[in-house]
Amino acid sequence: MRKSIKIWLAGFIVIFVLSNIVFAQTIAVTPKEIDGKTYVDIDSLKDFLNFDYTKTQNSLIIQKKDLSISEVIDKVNKSVVAIIGDSKKIKADDFYYSKIPAGLSHGSGVVIDKNGLILTNNHVVEDLKQPYVIFYDAKAYKATVLYSDKEIDLAILRVNRSNLTPIEIENPKNIYVGQEVLAIGTPLFLGWRNSVTKGIISGLNRPVDEVYTFLQTDASINPGNSGGPLVNMQGKLVGINTLGIDYWQGINFAIPAENILYFLDHYKKFGRIKRCYLGLEFEDSWLSYVGLPSNLGLKIIDVKADSPLKEFAQENDILVAIDSYPINSIAEYNQTLMKYLPGDKVKIKIKRNGKILEKEVILKEWPTSK
């Protein structure tokens, strides 16, 4: 008798709590007793609480269900902006694809702070005499470029507007190949602001320019989309749309959340990127050049006079690893250094004449004159 009362009471409590969470909605839940303990079947709750889950041998991974496309657009739209300005460098014949008058250039951006901070590509704003930001409600504001970095191709702008809707940035660990995504921005023409295209993440860690790695997506990215958000079906930012491959379809790239967080974290703490420096120049292996997997390491072709490895490394040495991170391309090298700050100690592993040599060094900060 006592057991049945205990089970009934547990079921009542579950129903009471859940009904209050969702404002008086109710659901029938039948607790089960196993080995003297009372359980509620998770399958009976997942639709009610709008989550999916996967089971592993030792854990239960709960994930919030994806939103519909229209729900994602409604959630994100107020965070997406267009950016326009008079370009210092653009030529009239560069406007064959655009309805924008010659001399003007435009791109996209996304709100990252309710008090007026906008994230976009460096290449969207670097040549603008005076950028203007146009919001979802068609109101335009003069913008100030607070900081930009050409290598990582990101920039932060400020406008004098508050109570904005900032986008949420996804945890890089939750980004995977095959994940559905939406690209939102202003392709080709300002009248097409907040255009949406849909696709998937086609690949991770793509070394497009030998500097950093990118997300690959088949969501359409056209001129003007640069700087706009690539979001998952939770409406979270997974990348900043950056470029497409001319004359080819379905091959487009975005700066990944990992690099965005690195850029924003350094700006918040230091006002700029404090990039690490080892004073080495490299040559990618032929495998890296053609995109094949490589474990050949990275060939050193020059050791600078101010390198912390000046007395250790030599030309034609092969950089094998930094701490426990294997290095096989220039992009992989740069991505690895993002994990550190100048002043950090790292263990450098190189290969010379078939022998592995190791040395602990202190990372320098990238010289501003370089």
Side-chain angles (χ1 to χ4, degrees), residues 3 8 11 126 148 175 225 256 270 273 277 318 334 337 348 367:
K3 284 187 177 180
W8 179 87
E126 66 176 336
S148 64
I175 300 171
N225 274 119
F270 314 115
I273 290 181
Y277 176 75
I318 304 297
N334 288 327
L337 286 183
I348 302 297

Side-chain angles (χ1 to χ4, degrees), residues 41-166:
D41 184 5
I42 194 170
D43 281 318
S44 65
L45 300 177
K46 66 174 186 171
D47 290 329
F48 186 68
L49 294 180
N50 195 34
F51 67 82
D52 287 321
Y53 70 91
T54 55
K55 294 179 180 178
T56 66
Q57 185 175 359
N58 300 312
S59 63
L60 182 70
I61 301 171
I62 296 177
Q63 297 171 311
K64 190 174 181 181
K65 279 189 175 180
D66 285 346
L67 304 175
S68 68
I69 293 175
S70 60
E71 287 173 329
V72 174
I73 294 170
D74 286 343
K75 181 177 180 179
V76 173
N77 246 348
K78 290 184 179 181
S79 303
V80 183
V81 302
I83 298 170
I84 190 168
D86 189 9
S87 174
K88 304 174 202 173
K89 293 185 178 180
I90 204 159
K91 300 176 182 177
D93 57 8
D94 290 328
F95 283 80
Y96 69 93
Y97 60 80
S98 177
K99 294 185 179 182
I100 299 294
L104 292 179
S105 177
H106 84 281
S108 304
V110 65
V111 177
I112 56 169
D113 179 85
K114 68 178 182 178
N115 293 316
L117 294 185
I118 309 294
L119 182 67
T120 186
N121 285 138
N122 170 75
H123 77 258
V124 168
V125 297
E126 66 176 336
D127 294 324
L128 298 186
K129 295 177 183 177
Q130 172 59 66
Y132 288 83
V133 171
I134 305 174
F135 288 88
Y136 69 97
D137 56 6
K139 293 181 179 179
Y141 291 78
K142 185 182 291 188
T144 301
V145 179
L146 298 180
Y147 177 66
S148 64
D149 184 86
K150 188 171 185 176
E151 295 297 321
I152 207 166
D153 196 20
L154 289 172
I156 296 178
L157 285 65
R158 180 185 290 281
V159 297
N160 186 24
R161 181 171 179 175
S162 58
N163 297 319
L164 299 175
T165 304

Side-chain angles (χ1 to χ4, degrees), residues 188-218:
L188 305 181
F189 175 49
L190 285 176
W192 297 339
R193 293 192 314 278
N194 289 48
S195 291
V196 182
T197 57
K198 184 176 183 291
I200 63 169
I201 293 177
S202 308
L204 305 174
N205 304 316
R206 300 303 203 202
V208 177
D209 60 3
E210 296 184 349
V211 178
Y212 291 108
T213 58
F214 292 77
L215 294 180
Q216 182 184 337
T217 179
D218 66 343

Side-chain angles (χ1 to χ4, degrees), residues 262 266 274-280 282 306-310 319 321-323 325 327 333-349 359-367:
Y262 165 77
H266 277 235
K274 296 188 74 170
R275 192 171 272 111
C276 295
Y277 176 75
L278 277 175
L280 304 174
F282 301 101
D306 58 352
S307 169
L309 293 166
K310 180 64 178 176
L319 177 63
I322 298 175
D323 285 337
Y325 302 106
I327 306 296
Y333 168 80
N334 288 327
Q335 290 288 148
T336 299
L337 286 183
M338 285 171 51
K339 303 176 189 297
Y340 301 94
L341 286 172
D344 287 347
K345 288 184 179 180
V346 295
K347 184 179 292 184
I348 302 297
K349 184 182 293 185
K359 183 176 179 62
E360 189 174 74
V361 298
I362 296 176
L363 293 169
K364 290 186 174 182
E365 183 174 354
W366 189 270

